[in-house]
Amino acid sequence: MVVSQASVLNEYKTRTRSKESVPGSFSADEQRKIAKLWLLLLKYLEENKDKSIKVNGELFKKTEHDWTSLKPSDYPAPKNEEEEEALTRAAWEQFTKGDSGIRRMGFRLRKQQLTHEQLVLDRYVSETTWQYIDRVAGRHVPLIPDRFFPSFAHPDTDTRNIRDVFWATVSTKNHPDIWVHRYLRSSGWDVGKALAAIKSVIEWRSTEEVDRVNFEGDVGLGLDEMRLGMSRLIGKDRLGYPLMYVRVRRIMPRANEGFAFKRYLVALFDTMQNVNRENERATMLYDFTGFCIDNTPLAMLQFMITLGMKPYAEASSVLILLVDNWLFNNLWNLVRPFLDANLGARIIFAKNIEEVKQFIDEDQLPVELGGKNAFAVNYKFPEDGENKKMFDMDGRRAAETNWRSRIAELEKATKEWADTVADATDSDVVDPELASTVCRNAAARSLSSAELELSKFVRSRNLFERLGMVNENGCLQLP
């Protein structure tokens, strides 16, 4: 079943989330397809329980630049606008010296009229948050453990165990069906296609070391991506979904280090999934006002589209594109062939703010777009000690052991539930009080709680947790 844009628009018009094909409202036929998919998944995981996938992705390529010798600031703060202009010019000249690739990027920065502080900041291309903190502190600050390893059961950092990667991914949800059913929806409820899609996602997460992305968090991300505010959580849309605001004009993929920006995107997507344990969708508002073609290179757009269609399929409610620039027409003609029907139905074009208000109320729109929402999640640096549990190896081992026990319980409960569903009447299949359903739901809750505890040892605290926006159940709480 392919979602239609008309049905999406109707949800926002009536301010009512569709209950069609979502957890808690599955039809008997959909429940049986989910059960069939789970039996195939469990068989696949059992057959490959000792199989590992070699890490060979691009998210953790090494940068060619070394910023460790740079001082905290090579330029004094400007006293007035004239001095800022002079200092910006000097910073730009030093910034572009001897590097044609960076010189081209520097020219783009000047065209966008970034401030002196931002331009000086961008001299440290691909410097991570951790590198910046170490450099300013003049010492190594132990924000997270220096050594990463996937798990005690599979400590090899050059490979990933298929079964571990699958369960580490689905157990970030309060119920694993929240994650699994997305691939049924995106594949038109074709069980075979959904199984192939999930296998592909697990392989991708393995080769690209997404667990390591979560381990490092924003500590390992580029400082400028975090501080320049390219994407910010600003509130909720009309349906109550978290609303991310992306200022496209601030996107500056690095000339020779696109992998660093891709890592930022994966971290952004995964962080939203980690704090969205119940509410499986989010809305993205892309502001294309004032953008130039350099902000959106085709390769990066293709990567973003791939994320939305495959690893994070069906994770978005709508993607609103606020466009006032004729350049976008040419860009869109290049992008459109890569879209699948489901993602395409959720892409909304808006020529002005009034059209955006069909999906986002004025009190949730940012002030800079003419709304009344002054709230925004601004970047806050990691603090020494916030990840102290990551250094507790005994605690991590105990949490991992408990997590694995809960996995075994859910696997057993899921097999029993799937066998029951196969022979039950339609009314029993959708009955939430069916004994096997009750048992499985309890096992799912236990697994989610075990993963939440384990996450304190294997995943560094994210910005939302740092700002106190995540409750004790691991769910994002918006004001």
Side-chain angles (χ1 to χ4, degrees):
M1 181 184 70
V2 177
V3 66
S4 70
Q5 189 165 88
S7 65
V8 173
L9 294 174
N10 187 60
E11 286 185 59
Y12 282 88
K13 182 179 181 179
T14 61
R15 297 176 181 267
T16 305
R17 296 187 190 182
S18 171
K19 294 187 178 298
E20 184 179 0
S21 303
V22 296
S25 302
F26 292 131
S27 67
D29 183 57
E30 289 169 345
Q31 287 277 38
R32 291 191 177 94
K33 288 185 177 181
I34 292 173
K36 182 178 179 181
L37 176 58
W38 268 109
L39 288 176
L40 292 173
L41 279 170
L42 293 176
K43 179 182 178 182
Y44 167 71
L45 295 173
E46 177 62 27
E47 291 173 348
N48 293 277
K49 63 182 180 181
D50 297 321
K51 182 179 179 181
S52 294
I53 296 176
K54 186 173 179 57
V55 168
N56 62 0
E58 64 173 328
L59 298 186
F60 285 95
K61 285 182 179 179
K62 296 297 183 182
T63 177
E64 298 178 359
H65 302 287
D66 179 13
W67 309 108
T68 56
S69 63
L70 294 176
K71 299 177 182 178
S73 177
D74 292 330
Y75 297 95
K79 298 176 182 178
N80 51 51
E81 290 185 5
E82 291 182 2
E83 187 171 334
E84 176 167 356
E85 172 61 25
L87 288 170
T88 299
R89 184 164 51 250
W92 178 73
E93 290 171 355
Q94 177 67 23
F95 176 63
T96 62
K97 186 177 181 180
D99 190 320
S100 59
I102 293 182
R103 185 183 303 115
R104 289 193 296 274
M105 183 172 65
F107 177 67
R108 295 200 297 273
L109 295 179
R110 289 210 73 189
K111 285 197 300 183
Q112 294 172 228
Q113 297 182 330
L114 294 183
T115 66
H116 161 74
E117 178 185 0
Q118 290 169 329
L119 185 52
V120 172
L121 173 66
D122 268 286
R123 293 177 61 248
Y124 310 114
V125 180
S126 294
E127 182 183 41
T128 67
T129 302
W130 201 358
Q131 288 170 334
Y132 171 81
I133 291 175
D134 283 357
R135 179 165 59 80
V136 173
R139 63 181 178 86
H140 179 58
V141 181
L143 296 172
I144 59 175
D146 290 327
R147 176 177 172 264
F148 164 80
F149 63 96
S151 67
F152 285 104
H154 304 282
D156 181 14
T157 58
D158 293 327
T159 61
R160 294 294 186 274
N161 177 265
I162 290 176
R163 185 171 179 268
D164 276 10
V165 172
F166 172 81
W167 283 113
T169 304
V170 302
S171 61
T172 60
K173 300 301 180 184
N174 284 344
H175 198 296
D177 284 356
I178 293 174
W179 189 86
V180 168
H181 94 284
R182 287 180 180 171
Y183 299 93
L184 279 167
R185 280 200 316 220
S186 66
S187 62
W189 289 85
D190 184 306
V191 174
K193 290 181 179 179
L195 177 64
I198 290 174
K199 289 180 180 180
S200 177
V201 171
I202 296 308
E203 181 176 350
W204 174 81
R205 293 183 70 90
S206 299
T207 59
E208 293 292 354
E209 302 182 86
V210 177
D211 54 353
R212 184 179 163 192
V213 172
N214 283 309
F215 178 86
E216 294 186 1
D218 57 14
V219 170
L221 298 179
L223 175 64
D224 53 352
E225 277 87 5
M226 305 305 297
R227 286 182 61 181
L228 293 182
M230 290 177 293
S231 61
R232 297 185 301 167
L233 177 68
I234 59 172
K236 305 174 184 177
D237 71 3
R238 275 191 168 189
L239 298 181
Y241 291 122
L243 173 62
M244 294 293 295
Y245 175 43
V246 182
R247 291 176 283 191
V248 177
R249 61 186 176 275
R250 291 201 175 190
I251 297 177
M252 295 176 289
R254 297 316 179 198
N256 298 313
E257 294 163 355
F259 71 91
F261 188 69
K262 289 182 179 181
R263 188 166 68 233
Y264 165 77
L265 291 175
V266 171
L268 176 65
F269 274 80
D270 234 57
T271 296
M272 286 303 298
Q273 293 306 302
N274 291 335
V275 299
N276 230 358
R277 303 176 79 91
E278 296 175 342
N279 197 349
E280 83 275 17
R281 291 187 182 275
T283 285
M284 307 288 288
L285 171 58
Y286 290 90
D287 181 4
F288 280 87
T289 58
F291 95 109
C292 67
I293 203 68
D294 289 331
N295 297 129
T296 50
L298 183 59
M300 200 61 61
L301 278 174
Q302 289 174 324
F303 180 74
M304 294 173 69
I305 291 170
T306 299
L307 290 180
M309 291 193 304
K310 295 181 179 179
Y312 304 97
E314 293 289 307
S316 299
S317 180
V318 287
L319 293 87
I320 306 168
L321 312 183
L322 177 58
V323 180
D324 70 345
N325 195 315
W326 65 268
L327 284 173
F328 186 82
N329 293 332
N330 294 330
L331 182 65
W332 182 247
N333 288 333
L334 295 173
V335 169
R336 185 165 47 190
F338 300 105
L339 296 174
D340 66 16
N342 279 304
L343 183 61
R346 295 188 179 277
I347 294 178
I348 307 295
F349 290 94
K351 296 179 182 178
N352 51 56
I353 296 301
E354 291 305 313
E355 294 183 1
V356 174
K357 289 180 183 177
Q358 297 178 44
F359 307 92
I360 305 168
D361 291 328
E362 188 176 19
D363 64 350
Q364 294 295 310
L365 277 172
V367 173
E368 64 185 274
L369 289 182
K372 298 180 180 179
N373 181 13
F375 170 80
V377 177
N378 294 315
Y379 188 60
K380 180 181 179 182
F381 278 96
E383 297 177 356
D384 191 4
E386 70 179 21
N387 295 309
K388 61 182 180 181
K389 281 199 170 185
M390 296 181 73
F391 295 86
D392 179 3
M393 292 297 104
D394 291 337
R396 175 176 172 176
R397 188 184 296 275
E400 182 182 319
T401 299
N402 180 52
W403 176 70
R404 293 186 185 281
S405 296
R406 302 289 83 78
I407 290 172
E409 290 177 0
L410 182 59
E411 287 179 328
K412 181 175 182 293
T414 296
K415 290 176 182 177
E416 293 175 354
W417 166 78
D419 289 340
T420 301
V421 165
D423 300 324
T425 63
D426 285 359
S427 59
D428 284 341
V429 168
V430 298
D431 183 1
E433 300 302 320
L434 185 69
S436 60
T437 299
V438 171
C439 180
R440 181 171 181 256
N441 288 345
R445 289 192 295 271
S446 294
L447 175 59
S448 179
S449 296
E451 189 283 331
L452 186 59
E453 179 61 25
L454 178 60
S455 73
K456 300 172 184 176
F457 299 91
V458 300
R459 197 164 66 228
S460 65
R461 300 304 86 191
N462 58 57
L463 175 61
F464 306 124
E465 292 167 319
R466 201 172 298 134
L467 294 174
M469 297 174 63
V470 178
N471 64 23
E472 66 276 8
N473 298 317
C475 296
L476 184 67
Q477 298 291 299
L478 292 169

